[in-house]
Amino acid sequence: MDEKEVSRPAAPKEEGTELRKPHEMIVMVPRSRRVTLTGRRLYNALLQVSQSRLQAMETMPAADYMFEAPLPALLRTTGSSGEDRTAAKRYLREMRGLEVDWESTAPGDGLKWRGFSMLSEVAIEVRNGENWVSWSYPPTIMSALREPARWARIDLDVLAKLGSYAAVALYEICARYRDNPSGVTSRKPVQWWADALNPAPGGAERREWRKFKNERVKPAIEEINSETDIEIELIEHKLGRAVSEVQFAVRRKRGTPRARALAEGPVDAGLVLRAESLGIREAKLDGLIKEFGEERVREQLDVLERRAVNRKLRGIEHAYAYLRSLLRNGEDEAPLALPPAPLDGATVAEREPAAVIAAPSSVPVASAPSPVSNAGMAAENWLNERIAGLKREIAALDPVQRRGWVDRALQELAARGMLSAVVSRRAAQGDVLHGVLGSVLVRVYAEAVYGPGWDRPPGAVA
């Protein structure tokens, strides 16, 4: 029995460890060499980081664009520890030459891609004593990853709980059916399932289904049913007395919404990149996430980025101390740090917390929180829309014109001591509208084109 395809709305742009994996990439049959469990998890982590970055870009990057992330953050996303670092580095070096067959799980789709390498290029380098990974994809994979026509929602936190290659492969296949009305996967020959769930190259002699089922499939089903958000059941179809085809019944578990232990789970590599660009090392970021939770750290990192590029306010000498103070004191206490006269009409979110302005040993003074007015919220919403519009405007510029504005933004960052290696690399790759560089670029462009009041709603008092 084949399932019915269900049209779905475009997925929201999310951060974290969720991957919208294109259907064509779900079934991965190696052609050249064996794929390890860590290797498959690591590749999914690379896809997730890349997809998150692609969704944030206004246009498709150049063919030679290199994604990058700290290796320890990628490993934690896979559920691996630092002890796997050497093996992961060795696998990444080999991944460039690994070829696979990508096959959709939908009926009639058949084999989509043949002869594609998993990566076009991969490199590992040491930055400040930490291993960083850079990688790129073939153009077809880039296109499918940025705008998948049909996709399965894969949570890398869930995959990290599964301890066998067969369980990971089977979960990825079944996950796309969790919300399908039919409640069953496609019906496929037993040889197809043996290839799909096996880390060795396809086409080799496989053990008979009865033995493969007992050794690989049944343990994988038990793992999935006990560790994930779905429950699956094997359905066998016989031709005479022999099992010829197989499918799985899939249902979402009730009463177990997707949850993440933010203080204990893996750190989003995109969050690490943002922190690194501000001069905050991953080890210190880990401590803040354990104390305050990943979502709150992400919110206050937004505040820090806006504050760091506001040249009307004093410079930030210690980004980590500033972020920690934001997290401990909250934005509502930030006005206590301001002098009696307003600085420049900056929003509360952009002002410096008291603990950073005061001596390092000072104790924050308790104070009743200042409620944010509806007018203030409306102004902030207006500014967010204004910035989004300016980014679209800059993206539409002639490349030569845009390069001139980028150079001006880079010069300012250099003058403020904020031009890190990460920012320089992203600028060279054309990723200029995000993070610290994007904030400075928007401001430099807007001030020159629209004047100093570009960031205030019409009619607002300067």
Side-chain angles (χ1 to χ4, degrees):
M1 176 179 176
D2 291 332
E3 92 288 358
K4 298 179 180 178
E5 288 297 328
V6 180
S7 61
R8 299 178 180 177
K13 294 183 179 181
E14 298 181 5
E15 293 189 70
T17 57
E18 186 170 282
L19 166 65
R20 294 187 303 146
K21 194 167 187 178
H23 284 183
E24 295 89 342
M25 301 175 72
I26 294 295
V27 179
M28 189 173 75
V29 181
R31 296 182 62 199
S32 54
R33 60 172 65 93
R34 186 181 184 89
V35 179
T36 64
L37 172 60
T38 298
R40 180 159 182 156
R41 285 174 172 171
L42 190 56
Y43 190 68
N44 278 333
L46 299 180
L47 292 176
Q48 188 274 329
V49 172
S50 304
Q51 188 173 73
S52 177
R53 175 61 57 181
L54 286 169
Q55 288 175 340
M57 294 181 182
E58 296 290 340
T59 58
M60 180 70 79
D64 60 351
Y65 182 84
M66 295 285 285
F67 300 94
E68 56 185 18
L71 179 56
L74 292 171
L75 289 173
R76 279 200 305 278
T77 303
T78 69
S80 303
S81 67
E83 297 173 358
D84 298 303
R85 191 168 305 181
T86 301
K89 288 170 65 177
R90 183 170 59 251
Y91 181 85
L92 284 166
R93 291 190 182 101
E94 296 173 352
M95 192 182 295
R96 168 62 182 87
L98 181 61
E99 295 185 350
V100 299
D101 290 342
W102 301 111
E103 186 170 344
S104 172
T105 57
D109 276 1
L111 194 62
K112 286 292 186 180
W113 303 343
R114 178 180 293 276
F116 278 83
S117 296
M118 296 174 73
L119 297 172
S120 294
E121 183 178 348
V122 63
I124 301 174
E125 60 180 316
V126 178
R127 303 180 189 171
N128 298 322
E130 185 174 61
N131 291 301
W132 277 66
V133 182
S134 303
W135 68 95
S136 62
Y137 299 102
T140 305
I141 293 182
M142 286 276 282
S143 298
L145 194 59
R146 187 169 190 259
E147 297 179 353
R150 291 181 298 178
W151 44 271
R153 193 176 72 252
I154 306 295
D155 191 326
L156 303 191
D157 288 344
V158 173
L159 289 188
K161 298 177 181 178
L162 301 176
S164 70
Y165 184 93
V168 168
L170 183 57
Y171 175 79
E172 289 191 32
I173 293 172
C174 292
R176 63 158 293 210
Y177 296 90
R178 59 161 69 87
D179 298 315
N180 195 290
S182 71
V184 293
T185 68
S186 295
R187 182 169 163 173
K188 299 285 188 179
V190 293
Q191 185 64 38
W192 185 94
W193 287 102
D195 285 343
L197 306 183
N198 203 309
E205 287 293 326
R206 300 296 192 202
R207 294 173 66 80
E208 61 178 291
W209 173 253
R210 177 179 59 83
K211 294 181 179 178
F212 184 78
K213 177 179 69 174
N214 291 333
E215 295 171 358
R216 302 283 183 87
V217 179
K218 285 186 176 180
I221 293 173
E222 292 177 2
E223 273 196 84
I224 291 170
N225 289 344
S226 63
E227 299 291 344
T228 75
D229 58 335
I230 60 175
E231 292 180 337
I232 64 175
E233 180 182 352
L234 175 65
I235 302 173
E236 296 180 318
H237 301 275
K238 293 185 176 181
L239 183 60
R241 301 179 65 177
V243 176
S244 59
E245 294 182 320
V246 164
Q247 62 185 154
F248 291 84
V250 182
R251 58 182 175 272
R252 182 190 292 272
K253 287 182 182 176
R254 294 186 177 182
T256 55
R258 188 172 84 93
R260 297 182 59 199
L262 294 176
E264 300 177 0
V267 179
D268 174 20
L271 193 64
V272 174
L273 285 174
R274 292 173 58 194
E276 288 271 0
S277 70
L278 293 166
I280 302 173
R281 295 297 302 274
E282 184 183 355
K284 291 189 173 183
L285 184 70
D286 285 346
L288 294 179
I289 289 175
K290 290 177 180 177
E291 184 175 354
F292 299 101
E294 186 173 317
E295 188 58 35
R296 179 150 176 76
V297 170
R298 179 177 288 108
E299 292 173 357
Q300 297 307 319
L301 200 59
D302 290 340
V303 176
L304 174 58
E305 286 180 339
R306 292 196 299 268
R307 174 60 179 81
V309 299
N310 190 331
R311 63 182 177 184
K312 298 178 183 179
L313 300 179
R314 73 182 68 177
I316 297 176
E317 295 183 3
H318 303 289
Y320 168 72
Y322 188 93
L323 178 59
R324 182 178 57 186
S325 183
L326 277 173
L327 291 164
R328 290 180 176 175
N329 297 336
E331 295 178 35
D332 292 331
E333 292 187 11
L336 296 174
L338 297 175
L343 291 177
D344 62 349
T347 63
V348 169
E350 293 174 323
R351 292 168 178 165
E352 203 159 12
V356 174
I357 292 181
S361 59
S362 63
V363 178
V365 180
S367 174
S370 303
V372 180
S373 66
N374 291 334
M377 293 179 65
E380 185 173 348
N381 291 337
W382 179 91
L383 182 58
N384 290 336
E385 293 178 3
R386 174 70 163 153
I387 291 173
L390 288 167
K391 285 186 175 182
R392 290 192 293 269
E393 197 171 312
I394 294 171
L397 291 174
D398 177 87
V400 176
Q401 288 182 301
R402 185 167 57 249
R403 183 68 228 182
W405 293 109
V406 171
D407 288 342
R408 291 176 61 175
L410 291 172
Q411 290 172 6
E412 181 169 318
L413 284 171
R416 295 170 65 107
M418 296 176 60
L419 186 57
S420 66
V422 174
V423 173
S424 297
R425 182 184 293 269
R426 294 211 171 281
Q429 294 174 338
D431 183 11
V432 299
L433 290 174
H434 309 98
V436 174
L437 176 57
S439 298
V440 174
L441 176 59
V442 167
R443 179 177 50 72
V444 168
Y445 173 82
E447 286 181 350
V449 176
Y450 297 101
W454 70 271
D455 56 348
R456 289 190 293 272
V461 179

